[in-house]
């Protein structure tokens, strides 16, 4: 199968890295910026928590439902232009999400959700195509830039709102960042000559569904996504009910996100240098297991330690899953297909996690049953991780 980058002219390394970093930031910051200003949004629009949750969970559902469409779109327009289109959609969605109208904000959520869903799929394929000799460094940069974008977005939303007197300000500032990023990406995409995509010979997705390696990675991605989004939603509530001070519970969530940044970078670099990855993923899952058992059995003993372990373990698992998408495929198009499959099912599982966790709390009256559920899920994730850690490639019958 011809490479998707056949006849592609060289791009200056500095421009590639700038464009790549800007795209990565846009794949997380617009998601996170809504959460801190959700209460004033609800007040302005006179809506309840259930409707307001569509601004965040609706995006995650977009990731799950729309990701499978991304590889075909990239085949038709080319990967670089597809990424430019995705960033443009994110920017347009950001502008619409700052308008004080429920209908327009939901339309903006759909636009941004589609753009992020497509971007999530395209980025591993881009790395496979252009930086195959520097996978670890580049995937590490990818996860770091996403984490930095999310951290800055979450931390600056309230101060920006207070400074301007409007909850639209932080949303529109990130939309402006998206517009600037889209301009850079269109500059990149339009400067490149058309390349052969070999779309007529791209194997159908049905072949991917018959690959045990693809399903194993998909299950790992789904389990880690479910655990991550669940704990992002509920960790403060779990800690506070157990007797952890409110301020400390808030710090726990910040620590989880901050620790995930170096954790994801180190794991991406390390994974790219290894042939067998089973011990690596077992170590990462063990960190998460220690934290979950800590929250279950001794939540007040060392809550900040549990947060540090969760951040390192979950950030590492996320980086591991993304890096395996690149390492377990031979062609950029195949990486896009595997990325679409694993992230589609993974994010659908992730969207269900907070609801399941909260439902189990409602049934039992405490958080023990909910935490046991995550521990059982982690055991299944560990098995999938050990299997995907073996050096076996996704086989689609044409490589």
């Amino acid at each position: 199968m011809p490479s998707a980058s056949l006849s592609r002219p060289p791009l200056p390394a500095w421009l590639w890295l700038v464009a790549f970093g800007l795209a990565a930031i846009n794949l997380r910051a617009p998601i996170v910026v809504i959460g801190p200003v959700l209460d004033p949004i609800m007040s302005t629009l006179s809506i309840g928590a259930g409707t307001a949750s569509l601004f965040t969970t609706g995006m995650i559902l977009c990731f799950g439902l729309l990701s499978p469409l991304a590889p075909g779109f990239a085949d038709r327009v080319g990967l670089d232009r597809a990424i430019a289109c995705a960033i443009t959609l994110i920017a347009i969605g950001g502008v619409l999400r700052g308008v004080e109208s429920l209908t327009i904000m939901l339309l903006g959520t759909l636009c941004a959700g589609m753009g992020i869903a497509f971007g999530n799929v395209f980025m591993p394929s881009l790395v496979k195509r252009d930086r195959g000799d520097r996978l670890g460094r580049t995937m590490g940069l990818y996860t770091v830039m996403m984490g930095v974008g999310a951290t800055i977005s979450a931390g600056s939303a309230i101060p920006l709102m207070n400074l301007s007197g409007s909850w639209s300000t932080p949303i529109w500032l990130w939309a402006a960042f998206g517009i600037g990023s889209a301009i850079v990406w269109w500059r990149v995409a339009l400067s490149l000559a058309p390349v052969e995509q070999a779309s007529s010979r791209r194997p159908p997705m049905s072949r991917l569904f018959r690959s045990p390696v693809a399903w194993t990675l998909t299950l790992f991605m789904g389990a880690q996504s479910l655990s991550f989004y669940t704990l992002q939603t509920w960790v403060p509530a779990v800690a506070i009910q157990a007797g952890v001070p409110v301020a400390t519970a808030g710090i726990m969530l910040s620590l989880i996100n901050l620790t995930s940044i170096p954790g994801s970078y180190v794991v991406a670099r390390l994974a790219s240098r290894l042939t067998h990855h089973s011990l690596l993923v077992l170590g990462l899952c063990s960190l998460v297991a220690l934290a979950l058992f800590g929250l279950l059995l001794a939540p007040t003993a060392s809550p900040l330690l549990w947060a540090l372990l969760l951040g390192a373990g979950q950030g590492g698992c996320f980086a591991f899953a993304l890096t395996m998408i690149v390492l377990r495929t031979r062609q950029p198009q195949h990486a896009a297909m595997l990325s679409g499959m694993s992230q589609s099912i993974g994010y659908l599982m992730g969207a269900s996690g907070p609801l399941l966790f909260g439902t189990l709390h409602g049934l039992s009256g405490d958080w023990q049953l909910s935490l046991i559920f995550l521990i059982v899920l982690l055991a299944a994730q560990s098995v999938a991780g050990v299997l995907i850690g073996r050096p076996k490639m996704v086989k689609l019958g044409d490589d």
Side-chain angles (χ1 to χ4, degrees), residues 311-333:
Q314 290 190 320
C317 284
F318 178 62
F320 174 80
L322 292 179
T323 305
M324 289 300 104
I325 291 173
V326 180
L327 291 178
R328 293 298 180 255
T329 52
R330 291 189 172 89
Q331 302 286 346
Q333 283 184 317

Side-chain angles (χ1 to χ4, degrees), residues 228-316:
F228 173 79
Y229 284 108
T230 297
L231 291 170
Q232 286 286 306
T233 303
W234 290 112
V235 151
V238 172
I240 290 169
Q241 186 170 322
V244 175
V246 174
T248 302
I251 294 173
M252 288 177 67
L253 192 55
S254 298
L255 275 179
I256 291 172
N257 287 299
L258 286 173
T259 311
S260 70
I261 296 174
S264 62
Y265 181 79
V266 170
V267 168
R269 291 294 302 271
L270 185 58
S272 68
R273 299 176 181 180
L274 298 174
T275 302
H276 297 266
H277 301 85
S278 297
L279 288 179
L280 172 62
V281 75
L282 269 181
L284 295 171
C285 290
S286 296
L287 294 179
V288 179
L290 287 172
L292 290 177
F293 276 110
L295 288 172
L296 177 67
L297 302 176
T300 60
S302 189
L304 297 185
L305 175 60
W306 310 147
L308 289 170
L309 292 173
L310 279 175
Q314 290 190 320

Side-chain angles (χ1 to χ4, degrees), residues 102-116:
L102 177 60
T103 301
I104 295 176
M105 288 187 71
L106 289 176
L107 178 60
T109 298
L110 176 62
C111 286
M114 175 179 284
I116 296 173

Side-chain angles (χ1 to χ4, degrees), residues 5 16 43 68 102 108 119 145 163 177 246 251 279 294 309 323 374 397:
S5 60
W16 193 98
S43 177
L102 177 60
M145 295 307 289
L163 187 65
F177 183 85
V246 174
I251 294 173
L279 288 179
L309 292 173
T323 305
L374 288 187

Side-chain angles (χ1 to χ4, degrees), residues 23-346:
I25 292 174
N26 276 282
L27 298 182
R28 283 301 174 271
I31 307 172
V32 177
V33 71
I34 286 285
V37 298
L38 206 52
D39 282 343
I41 290 175
M42 292 166 57
S43 177
T44 301
L45 302 181
S46 300
I47 58 176
T51 302
S53 69
L54 292 175
F55 299 138
T56 51
T57 57
M59 263 200 175
I60 301 173
L61 289 173
C62 283
F63 304 162
L65 295 173
L66 301 177
S67 293
L69 305 178
F73 180 69
D75 283 342
R76 287 190 293 274
V77 305
L79 182 57
D80 302 290
R81 297 186 183 194
I83 296 174
C85 288
I87 304 300
T88 302
L89 272 176
I90 295 170
I92 293 171
V95 171
L96 297 178
R97 292 173 94 205
V99 177
E100 295 181 4
S101 164
L102 177 60
T103 301
I104 295 176
M105 288 187 71
L106 289 176
L107 178 60
T109 298
L110 176 62
C111 286
M114 175 179 284
I116 296 173
F118 278 30
N120 285 336
V121 172
F122 296 149
M123 295 297 273
S125 180
L126 180 70
V127 174
K128 184 76 175 178
R129 188 193 71 182
D130 293 351
R131 306 273 288 190
D133 57 338
R134 286 159 285 186
L135 287 179
R137 230 178 305 171
T138 311
M139 292 304 293
L141 173 65
Y142 178 42
T143 56
V144 165
M145 295 307 289
M146 284 195 293
V148 167
T151 301
I152 294 175
S153 178
S156 64
I158 295 295
L160 287 170
M161 182 185 70
N162 291 338
L163 187 65
S164 65
S166 171
W167 54 261
S168 297
T169 300
I171 299 173
W172 277 339
L173 282 176
W174 281 107
F177 183 85
I179 292 171
S181 303
I183 291 171
V184 172
W185 264 102
W186 281 112
R187 156 74 176 84
V188 169
L190 296 177
S191 70
L192 300 175
V195 297
E196 181 179 346
Q197 296 296 322
S199 58
S200 62
R201 281 180 280 178
R202 181 171 65 86
M205 287 290 289
S206 58
R207 290 192 188 177
L208 196 60
F209 296 150
R210 295 196 292 267
S211 168
V213 177
W215 275 111
T216 303
L217 179 56
T218 297
L219 292 174
F220 182 87
M221 176 72 82
Q224 72 86 24
S225 294
L226 191 154
S227 177
F228 173 79
Y229 284 108
T230 297
L231 291 170
Q232 286 286 306
T233 303
W234 290 112
V235 151
V238 172
I240 290 169
Q241 186 170 322
V244 175
V246 174
T248 302
I251 294 173
M252 288 177 67
L253 192 55
S254 298
L255 275 179
I256 291 172
N257 287 299
L258 286 173
T259 311
S260 70
I261 296 174
S264 62
Y265 181 79
V266 170
V267 168
R269 291 294 302 271
L270 185 58
S272 68
R273 299 176 181 180
L274 298 174
T275 302
H276 297 266
H277 301 85
S278 297
L279 288 179
L280 172 62
V281 75
L282 269 181
L284 295 171
C285 290
S286 296
L287 294 179
V288 179
L290 287 172
L292 290 177
F293 276 110
L295 288 172
L296 177 67
L297 302 176
T300 60
S302 189
L304 297 185
L305 175 60
W306 310 147
L308 289 170
L309 292 173
L310 279 175
Q314 290 190 320
C317 284
F318 178 62
F320 174 80
L322 292 179
T323 305
M324 289 300 104
I325 291 173
V326 180
L327 291 178
R328 293 298 180 255
T329 52
R330 291 189 172 89
Q331 302 286 346
Q333 283 184 317
H334 297 175
M337 291 169 63
L338 181 58
S339 183
M341 174 182 173
S342 61
Q343 296 199 55
S344 172
I345 296 174

